[in-house]
């Protein structure tokens, strides 16, 4: 099943456009979870089980795993999502960006090693940095590339808002995604919740293309505002990510229950 079909399945099953970001920081784990790679896996599984029925996607951030040698736990977590929660879309947040054989290996890592339905990709090296993610040799199941467009961080203004031919750079990326890259394979775009006006601009350019929207919760973005500005004409089209606000809603042994309660509050604003 390709990325877009999987997303349609996920939106229908969850009834919301909430994505739970898996950014496991062992320094914030409850004492009962412990430390080390196995603790990361235990923590993530508890969050997954507590929120899977109301989340359209899970988005593990690869750096949180790789920096502590927890790629094995990440493989098992991805497999667990695919096997035990098949209605939920799995997005590997890696923000890869390179060309040639290196990009081939990044694509195989995402789609073949981790079994992701989609992976975040940096498109600012151009079309030849994106094409390997659509090559069936690397991506045999029609996985998606979710391309950075207008990111949620303040420093995104440094380049993404620079004007060329009368339009900001992020608009050029959105236009290229809608008019060229989407013909190569199944695309999405990353647009931050902290920029709702730009979110609406991108939606007007790309039609029903899925938009991954980080920045809700700890970064200050508002879920209801995101839905108002970014939902597609069908009332869907968004993958609205909240990570820290859900993961660390509680610090005791009831952390999973606290995460569930916070996820429910956010999902209520993202019904679809």
């Amino acid at each position: 099943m390709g990325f877009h079909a999987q997303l349609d399945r996920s939106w229908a099953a969850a009834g919301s456009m909430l994505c739970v970001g898996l950014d496991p920081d062992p320094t914030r784990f409850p004492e009962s979870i412990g430390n080390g790679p196995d603790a990361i896996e235990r923590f993530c599984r508890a969050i997954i089980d507590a929120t899977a029925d109301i989340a359209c996607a899970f988005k593990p951030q690869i750096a949180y795993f790789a920096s502590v040698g927890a790629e094995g736990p990440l493989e098992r977590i991805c497999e667990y999502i695919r096997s035990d929660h098949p209605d939920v879309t799995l997005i590997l947040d890696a923000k890869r960006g390179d060309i040639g054989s290196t990009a081939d290996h990044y694509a195989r890592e995402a789609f073949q090693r981790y079994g992701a339905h989609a992976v975040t990709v940096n498109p600012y090296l151009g079309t030849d940095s994106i094409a390997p993610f659509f090559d069936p040799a690397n991506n045999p199941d029609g996985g998606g590339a979710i391309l950075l467009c207008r990111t949620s961080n303040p420093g995104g203004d440094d380049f993404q808002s620079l004007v060329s031919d009368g339009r900001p750079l992020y608009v050029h990326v959105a236009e290229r995604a809608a008019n060229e890259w989407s013909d190569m394979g199944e695309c999405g775009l990353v647009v931050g919740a902290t920029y709702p006006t730009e979110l609406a601009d991108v939606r007007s350019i790309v039609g029903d293309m899925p938009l991954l929207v980080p920045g809700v919760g700890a970064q200050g973005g508002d879920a209801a505002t995101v839905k108002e500005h970014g939902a597609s004409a069908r009332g869907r089209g968004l993958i609205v990510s909240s990570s820290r606000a859900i993961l660390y809603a509680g610090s005791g042994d009831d952390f999973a229950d606290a995460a569930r309660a916070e996820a429910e509050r956010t999902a209520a604003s993202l019904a679809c």
Side-chain angles (χ1 to χ4, degrees):
M1 184 184 298
F3 169 48
H4 292 166
Q6 174 65 35
L7 260 182
D8 282 335
R9 173 182 179 178
S10 299
W11 285 322
S16 89
M17 296 179 283
L18 171 66
C19 168
V20 176
L22 299 177
D23 300 359
D25 178 357
T27 67
R28 302 184 68 175
F29 289 177
E31 187 175 343
S32 60
I33 289 292
N35 295 294
D38 290 342
I40 288 175
E41 184 173 354
R42 286 193 295 273
F43 179 82
C44 288
R45 282 185 179 238
I47 295 293
I48 290 164
D49 288 341
T51 60
D53 63 311
I54 56 171
C56 72
F58 288 116
K59 181 174 68 67
Q61 215 307 328
I62 195 168
Y64 281 83
F65 297 86
S67 67
V68 293
E71 292 95 332
L74 177 56
E75 287 187 47
R76 293 191 293 272
I77 288 164
C78 290
E79 174 58 28
Y80 182 63
I81 293 168
R82 292 290 298 255
S83 64
D84 285 47
H85 301 287
D87 289 336
V88 185
T89 296
L90 172 60
I91 298 169
L92 185 68
D93 191 1
K95 300 181 179 70
R96 299 306 195 193
D98 215 310
I99 58 172
S101 59
T102 303
D104 285 329
H105 283 282
Y106 279 144
R108 292 171 200 160
E109 171 194 52
F111 297 121
Q112 298 185 28
R113 180 181 185 185
Y114 293 115
H117 295 114
V119 59
T120 55
V121 176
N122 186 337
Y124 286 93
L125 273 72
T127 299
D128 53 347
S129 70
I130 298 166
F133 290 87
F134 299 130
D135 185 338
N138 303 327
N139 175 10
D141 297 323
I146 305 178
L147 312 169
L148 302 184
C149 180
R150 180 65 171 103
T151 56
S152 59
N153 60 305
D157 278 336
D158 292 350
F159 298 108
Q160 295 164 19
S161 295
L162 292 178
V163 174
S164 173
D165 292 333
R167 305 184 307 286
L169 181 58
Y170 76 86
V171 169
H172 288 275
V173 172
E175 291 173 342
R176 185 67 65 93
N179 299 323
E180 179 179 335
W181 295 332
S182 61
D183 291 333
M184 299 166 61
E186 300 201 7
C187 289
L189 291 176
V190 176
V191 184
T194 46
Y195 297 102
T197 300
E198 288 92 332
L199 177 61
D201 290 343
V202 171
R203 174 58 71 201
S204 71
I205 294 167
V206 302
D208 289 336
M209 183 181 293
L211 302 181
L212 173 61
V213 185
V216 165
Q219 293 186 53
D222 177 70
T225 301
V226 166
K227 182 178 179 181
E228 177 186 354
H229 287 78
S232 69
R234 296 191 299 150
R236 292 180 172 177
L238 296 172
I239 311 162
V240 183
S241 180
S242 179
S243 301
R244 287 168 288 171
I246 291 175
L247 299 185
Y248 309 115
S251 57
D253 289 347
D254 63 346
F255 73 94
D257 292 334
R260 168 74 186 199
E262 179 62 28
E264 286 178 339
R265 282 191 287 272
T266 306
S269 299
L270 297 169
C272 65

